[in-house]
Amino acid sequence: MKKFFNIIISIVMLVLFTGVAKCNEKPSATDENNLVSEVMTSERQQNATPQAILDDLMAGNQRYLDNQLTNRDFPAQVKATTSGQYPKAIILSCVDSRVPVEMAFDQGVGDVFVARVAGNAENEDILGSIEYAVGVAGSKLIMVLGHESCGAVKSAIDKLDVGSANVDHLLGQIEPAIEMVEGERNSKDKTYVSNVIHTNVNVTVEDIKKRSQIVNQMVADGKVDVVGAYYSLKDGKVTLVEKN
Ligand SMILES: [Zn+2]
């Protein structure tokens, strides 16, 4: 009888132990509600390559398309990032409300820097922000994100004049891309507009490398990469823009 009980106890212990072991296999990043509380750390940032970070962003965009965004414990992430941040990338986007950058890549608190300016062109402040991101804060990827049917690009094509030097300056930043694209200057021509948007992304990517010695050197050393991307307003899909 005692032997029988011993066997039963052994089986119970085995089941319990297996159960515990199974529990431990759960990522430590999730709590009992299966919410992700993990944030970027210095170690994770240092160990990641520019390509791995690009893959991570594109996988996040696929989750966004599939309506499978990560469930996050935002208060926990806020708390975990209070004393520091180790973002994996800086994304330069247009200000367009239909391009929700963190959501579109399924990123949480402390994951990415986001610089936004209408028409996603670089200026001194944006370049300074990018240099801070990669040179000081350790980010490994710079992404320039243009988007379909960009109002800033269309306004630049139309030479919109609202009597503001600020708007003139902003739209002037897109002019070099317009001049590079063949065809009639027509904001109603979707193919032409798309070509200008893609060219503007490429121009910005190249200008960032040309105008920033810090970025240029880090790219040459393989520490950082600069990529162009395009966000579709129709479905939210991000595609990489081929380099010229
Ligand atoms: Zn735009």
Side-chain angles (χ1 to χ4, degrees):
M1 198 63 179
K2 200 181 169 192
K3 198 175 177 188
F4 174 75
F5 274 118
N6 278 343
I7 290 169
I8 293 294
I9 285 167
S10 297
I11 289 169
V12 169
M13 291 294 280
L14 189 67
V15 168
L16 277 176
F17 181 77
T18 312
V20 170
K22 276 233 171 83
C23 280
N24 285 343
E25 281 168 19
K26 259 175 65 180
S28 57
T30 59
D31 63 14
E32 66 274 13
N33 297 319
N34 227 19
L35 297 176
V36 172
S37 57
E38 190 180 42
V39 296
M40 283 293 289
T41 60
S42 172
E43 196 184 5
R44 283 182 66 197
Q45 188 195 51
Q46 280 170 25
N47 290 338
T49 62
Q51 183 61 48
I53 289 167
L54 179 59
D55 294 344
D56 174 275
L57 293 180
M58 297 309 274
N61 180 243
Q62 189 58 52
R63 290 194 296 277
Y64 173 66
L65 298 176
D66 295 340
N67 208 17
Q68 296 288 329
L69 288 185
T70 304
N71 290 318
R72 293 185 167 84
D73 184 340
F74 285 113
Q77 287 199 328
V78 167
K79 202 173 174 191
T81 51
T82 305
S83 58
Q85 60 171 340
Y86 306 94
K88 57 188 91 165
I90 177 161
I91 301 168
L92 169 56
S93 165
C94 178
V95 295
D96 199 294
S97 66
R98 298 165 293 178
V99 186
V101 179
E102 279 95 337
M103 237 187 281
F105 292 104
D106 192 21
Q107 299 297 308
V109 180
D111 281 342
V112 287
F113 286 106
V114 181
R116 303 194 74 151
V117 62
N120 46 268
E122 90 295 344
N123 59 31
E124 285 78 5
D125 298 314
I126 296 284
L127 284 171
S129 303
I130 290 172
E131 289 179 350
Y132 177 81
V134 298
V136 180
S139 296
K140 301 281 184 67
L141 183 74
I142 301 162
M143 176 183 278
V144 178
L145 182 64
H147 70 94
E148 182 178 1
S149 197
C150 180
V153 169
K154 288 201 275 191
S155 297
I157 292 169
D158 288 339
K159 294 189 175 174
L160 177 74
D161 185 3
V162 293
S164 162
N166 298 321
V167 174
D168 291 348
H169 176 79
L170 177 73
L171 300 184
Q173 306 264 65
I174 302 164
E175 198 59 32
I178 295 171
E179 285 166 14
M180 286 168 75
V181 174
E182 289 178 12
E184 190 196 345
R185 188 169 175 138
N186 180 1
S187 68
K188 303 277 185 296
D189 181 341
K190 284 185 180 172
T191 305
Y192 176 79
V193 171
S194 173
N195 288 342
V196 175
I197 292 166
H198 282 83
T199 303
N200 185 49
V201 165
N202 275 327
V203 167
T204 305
V205 166
E206 290 310 310
D207 281 353
I208 289 169
K209 287 189 273 191
K210 259 185 238 156
R211 296 180 67 190
S212 170
Q213 185 59 38
I214 291 173
V215 172
N216 198 309
Q217 190 58 53
M218 292 184 87
V219 170
D221 294 343
K223 292 177 181 166
V224 157
D225 201 5
V226 192
V227 297
Y230 180 86
Y231 179 93
S232 163
L233 292 186
K234 284 185 201 78
D235 55 14
K237 187 173 174 60
V238 173
T239 45
L240 293 178
V241 173
E242 280 183 34
K243 290 172 187 174
N244 285 338

